[in-house]
Amino acid sequence: MVLKDNAVEILLARAAEEIDSGLLPSCQVALALDGEVVLDRTLGEPVHGDESQYLIYSATKGVVSAAFLQLLGEGRLSLDTRVADIIDEFASFGKEAVTVGQVMTYTSAFARAPMGPPAWWTKEGRLEQFARWRLDGEIGKYDYHITSGHWVLAALLEEVEGVDFSKSVNRRIGEALSLQSLRLGVPEDSQTQLVRPVLCGEPATEAEFQAALGISGIDAGEANDDNLVALGEAENIALGLPGGGAVSRAADLAMLYQALMRNTESLWDPEVLADATSNVRIFDMDLIRGVPANRSIAFMIAGADGASAGRGLGHGAHPTAFGHDGIGGQLAFADPSTGLSFSYLTDGMDRNILRQQRRARSLATKANGCA
């Protein structure tokens, strides 16, 4: 299969719109097909040119989950394993019954559990914070955990492997697949190609929210303006926030999704990988997105209900498409029906979340039309 030239031109033209208007400083667009990068384009003038790397925010969850799936396939943990059986500090305030599978599917009922400095700088600090966490919902009910759930997955990786979670993720994903730029926890002296995120535009007005969604606004919680910029600071990039702190070029992120479709290097147990990329376990409404969640243990699945665009996978996505997006409009997904994978990354954090969502839907839709 080859890319449709006209469709690629349409995709690139759409990606250039906010660059040309001055809204966004820069972006990268990448398409991969049949195990190879077939489009790798940087738009705008990032300080490091075509080799610029971007903070990928919640698209990080797909990376960390991909590493964690390997752990499941090795039989070192199971979806039914209770977190408290591995992490003693977790056995407090009703969290004793929470399982690995519930954490992976955002049904573990601690969506708003806090984790930040100084606790997050050390393993000991993070464990002490786990002990303080209380449930803020009903176990088994879906509620998107912006960062808390992946702090637990990271801690489980550390406990089972005996090394820092970022080293485990990097060994299992970036290094195993020779994806040179895709890293979690990049030392400050190695951040030479990173483009720091900046805030752009003005927030959507209440009238805009009412017209678009019939509500007065969206509570971004942890994903507020101050935190989005702070996550791009050198010390936080070095830490490697497991729910939103990985760094990559768009091309390498697209190639990760090629690997997930093709099971490159046989990194994943086939049954676990099939479960993660095709088995929808959570159909509850995602209140942040306004559509059913359609989540597996690792990714959002397009599905056949006509709501794939709300899941970051674009209109016209094949029901089998899967991926994970990130705040700011970061995108990464794969379509097994065509073999195409796509990634879009930007350093411009658009304060207008409605415009950001429209851009992401449009880009994903146009990417779907390229194969």
Side-chain angles (χ1 to χ4, degrees):
M1 181 178 291
V2 296
L3 295 182
K4 299 174 183 176
D5 290 342
N6 185 57
V8 172
E9 292 173 4
I10 292 171
L11 169 65
L12 290 173
R14 180 63 187 88
E17 285 184 17
E18 283 85 357
I19 307 297
D20 294 343
S21 71
L23 176 64
L24 303 181
S26 71
C27 71
Q28 281 182 346
V29 180
L31 291 166
L33 187 65
D34 298 331
E36 296 183 358
V37 175
V38 290
L39 176 70
D40 181 5
R41 193 72 57 86
T42 302
L43 304 177
E45 297 182 356
V47 292
H48 307 300
D50 291 343
E51 297 307 311
S52 292
Q53 300 171 6
Y54 294 79
L55 177 61
I56 68 174
Y57 290 102
S58 281
T60 301
K61 292 179 173 69
V63 181
V64 172
S65 294
F68 204 86
L69 294 173
Q70 294 178 16
L71 211 62
L72 295 178
E74 293 161 7
R76 302 170 77 179
L77 290 173
S78 76
L79 296 178
D80 295 327
T81 300
R82 296 191 310 169
V83 175
D85 289 342
I86 308 298
I87 302 173
D88 293 340
E89 290 81 359
F90 205 78
S92 60
F93 300 116
K95 303 192 300 296
E96 298 88 343
V98 171
T99 66
V100 168
Q102 288 166 339
V103 176
M104 296 186 76
T105 55
Y106 305 90
T107 58
S108 46
F110 52 86
R112 281 156 287 282
M115 182 68 77
W120 72 7
W121 295 120
T122 65
K123 176 181 177 180
E124 293 72 24
R126 296 190 289 268
L127 293 177
E128 289 175 5
Q129 196 72 353
F130 288 163
R132 298 188 184 99
W133 281 4
R134 297 173 183 267
L135 300 179
D136 53 33
E138 178 185 344
I139 294 176
K141 184 177 180 180
Y142 176 81
D143 192 357
Y144 183 63
H145 293 42
I146 295 177
T147 63
S148 54
H150 279 71
W151 277 117
V152 174
L153 297 185
L156 289 167
L157 277 168
E158 286 192 337
E159 291 297 321
V160 173
E161 298 224 278
V163 298
D164 179 84
F165 67 84
S166 62
K167 291 183 179 179
S168 176
V169 172
N170 291 335
R171 176 180 66 81
R172 289 178 173 275
I173 302 301
E175 295 169 15
L177 294 169
S178 298
L179 303 176
Q180 300 302 319
S181 70
L182 180 54
R183 292 292 184 271
L184 182 67
V186 181
E188 293 190 29
D189 60 2
S190 298
Q191 297 176 21
T192 55
Q193 302 300 106
L194 180 66
V195 182
R196 307 287 173 184
V198 296
L199 294 174
C200 305
E202 296 299 325
T205 64
E206 182 175 340
E208 287 177 306
F209 274 110
Q210 287 289 353
L213 301 174
I215 58 176
S216 60
I218 295 175
D219 181 5
E222 295 171 82
N224 58 60
D225 288 354
D226 290 342
N227 285 345
L228 293 181
V229 173
L231 288 181
E233 295 173 357
E235 61 181 358
N236 293 328
I237 294 291
L239 170 65
L241 186 74
V247 167
S248 186
R249 296 188 69 254
D252 276 351
L253 198 52
M255 283 301 293
L256 168 60
Y257 280 84
Q258 285 289 308
L260 288 162
M261 282 192 294
R262 302 163 67 87
N263 201 0
T264 304
E265 303 294 338
S266 299
L267 291 180
W268 294 276
D269 175 87
E271 291 187 7
V272 172
L273 184 59
D275 187 5
T277 57
S278 63
N279 182 20
V280 178
R281 292 170 176 262
I282 303 300
F283 295 92
D284 297 352
M285 183 64 67
D286 187 326
L287 297 180
I288 294 176
R289 299 172 182 277
V291 297
N294 256 50
R295 283 191 177 265
S296 71
I297 56 174
F299 305 105
M300 287 179 283
I301 312 294
D305 61 354
S308 60
R311 302 179 185 113
L313 299 161
H315 294 291
H318 191 273
T320 60
F322 65 92
H324 209 295
D325 57 4
I327 194 72
Q330 322 294 40
L331 293 170
F333 63 81
D335 184 347
S337 75
T338 61
L340 185 76
S341 59
F342 171 65
S343 178
Y344 168 90
L345 303 176
T346 179
D347 54 339
M349 297 296 103
D350 192 347
R351 288 186 178 94
N352 188 324
I353 192 169
L354 297 177
R355 179 171 55 213
Q356 177 193 125
Q357 291 175 345
R358 289 194 295 270
R359 179 176 66 250
R361 287 194 294 268
S362 180
L363 287 166
T365 300
K366 289 171 173 57
N368 290 332
C370 288

